[in-house]
Amino acid sequence: MGKIAFVFAGQGAQYSGMGQSLCEVSPAAKAVFDAADKLRPGTSEQCFTGTAEELSITKNTQPCLYCVDLAAAKALEEAGVTPDYVAGFSLGEIAALSFAGVFSEEQGFDFVCKRAEAMQKAGEENPGAMAAVLKLKNEQVEELCAGFEKVWPVNYNCPGQLVCAGEKSQIEAFCGKVAEAGGKAVPLAVSGGFHSPFMESASQTLCEVLEPMELSEARVPVYANYTAQPYDGSAKELLTQQVKNPVQWQETVERLVELGVDTFIECGPGKTLCGLIRKTAKGVKTLNVQDGETLQAALEAVKAQG
């Protein structure tokens, strides 16, 4: 068996009920939610019974997803499965850093709450929209973006899929240009132009939040969205830059495969990252852990490989 990477789910994967059955089968997972409830009362209840509308509000989405992401990884570790590398998609990067010990769990949860508030505020100050562009090469999409003052490529997901963000009316016109070029643009249900210059104020806020914090060295290498390289001593700079710069997910996956990773375990709700990874790297195994059933299936699959 080759190496294992834990990858942590990002915003958009949330659903009502997430995390509940993990807590029922894993004391380590339950401990994550118990700790969150002490800092932000009602977090567990929001995950387990919150409406789709409630969970789609950024200041709710991010703390809730963080808990499910981290709980899934802790449940795996509790059962004896440990990763060689970790990475997270956008919000998932905070859970990855907490799992790796860069943040303490309390620091990580506090930071993710402040990050969510800052990004929601930035989205309200600069209303934006996002769209996934399919069936075009990255270079074609970048060229189309260059034709607009306020449209930018922001999530390099996998070959043939690049998410763009920008000013709402310009995104609409941009989608028309994508269609003319033979591509397909799919509008995303988000509350801001994330990972774009529209998040500048959020970046500044997070710089202030991080400045007094004492962070630790990672116990397992964490690959950064901003650089597709491992975190080093500049965690604060990477986190400040992350919210306003593109997510280099495709490059991150390619790099992990080069390092010998042949099994990716997505920690958190949904299977979005599994799908992106399969489109990026042929022949790797993808597993996901989001509830008691998928936890057991993943443990059995890893045991069979070992």
Side-chain angles (χ1 to χ4, degrees):
M1 182 175 173
K3 296 178 180 178
I4 294 175
F6 285 3
V7 292
F8 294 78
Q11 201 162 334
Q14 67 275 1
Y15 60 84
S16 183
M18 61 182 183
Q20 187 164 9
S21 73
L22 272 176
C23 292
E24 293 168 357
V25 300
S26 167
K30 187 176 185 301
V32 172
F33 283 92
D34 289 345
D37 283 336
K38 289 179 181 177
L39 295 170
R40 182 181 180 270
T43 299
S44 295
E45 188 67 17
Q46 207 164 54
C47 288
F48 302 162
T49 65
T51 64
E53 183 178 9
E54 182 181 8
L55 287 168
S56 70
I57 300 169
T58 297
K59 67 179 182 180
N60 297 331
T61 315
Q62 294 195 16
C64 288
L65 270 175
Y66 168 91
C67 288
V68 184
D69 283 9
L70 186 58
K74 290 287 189 178
L76 282 163
E77 185 177 47
E78 178 183 48
V81 178
T82 55
D84 297 285
Y85 306 99
V86 298
F89 193 101
S90 188
L91 167 281
E93 189 163 299
I94 316 307
L97 288 163
S98 292
F99 179 80
V102 176
F103 285 122
S104 68
E105 285 187 35
E106 185 172 321
Q107 279 181 320
F109 189 72
D110 179 64
F111 178 74
V112 88
C113 289
K114 289 183 168 67
R115 180 182 187 272
E117 290 169 2
M119 290 177 74
Q120 180 165 323
K121 184 179 179 184
E124 290 166 355
E125 292 170 347
N126 292 292
M130 299 177 74
V133 180
L134 312 176
K135 301 181 179 179
L136 295 179
K137 293 182 178 180
N138 290 344
E139 295 77 14
Q140 291 175 280
V141 181
E142 290 164 349
E143 191 174 327
L144 290 174
C145 287
F148 294 85
E149 184 184 356
K150 293 184 177 180
V151 176
W152 306 275
V154 294
N155 296 344
Y156 288 79
N157 288 348
C158 66
Q161 186 179 135
L162 174 53
V163 174
C164 300
E167 195 272 327
K168 285 185 177 180
S169 64
Q170 290 196 22
I171 283 285
E172 290 174 6
F174 168 76
C175 289
K177 292 293 185 182
V178 168
E180 289 176 15
K184 180 180 179 182
V186 181
L188 304 181
V190 293
S191 56
F194 301 137
H195 298 287
S196 79
F198 279 0
M199 292 291 115
E200 177 62 44
S201 64
S203 178
Q204 292 174 2
T205 297
L206 295 183
C207 183
E208 295 166 7
V209 169
L210 288 162
E211 198 278 327
M213 294 176 73
E214 291 189 16
L215 304 182
S216 302
E217 290 295 314
R219 64 189 177 99
V220 55
V222 184
Y223 274 71
N225 288 175
Y226 179 48
T227 61
Q229 297 284 352
Y231 268 77
D232 47 22
S234 58
K236 293 179 181 181
E237 173 67 13
L238 290 172
L239 284 166
T240 301
Q241 292 292 335
Q242 190 236 39
V243 294
K244 64 177 182 178
N245 283 286
V247 173
Q248 302 292 347
W249 189 251
Q250 179 182 332
E251 187 178 346
T252 297
V253 171
E254 290 170 345
R255 190 148 285 148
L256 290 171
V257 171
E258 288 172 2
L259 290 166
V261 172
D262 67 0
T263 302
F264 290 84
I265 305 179
E266 180 170 1
C267 299
K271 300 180 183 178
T272 299
L273 299 184
C274 287
L276 299 181
I277 290 164
R278 286 195 298 271
K279 290 174 181 175
T280 302
K282 305 301 180 186
V284 300
K285 189 170 188 65
T286 57
L287 304 166
N288 78 296
V289 174
Q290 59 182 317
D291 52 27
E293 183 180 349
T294 51
L295 171 64
Q296 189 58 41
L299 294 175
E300 290 172 3
V302 171
K303 183 179 179 181
Q305 283 181 272

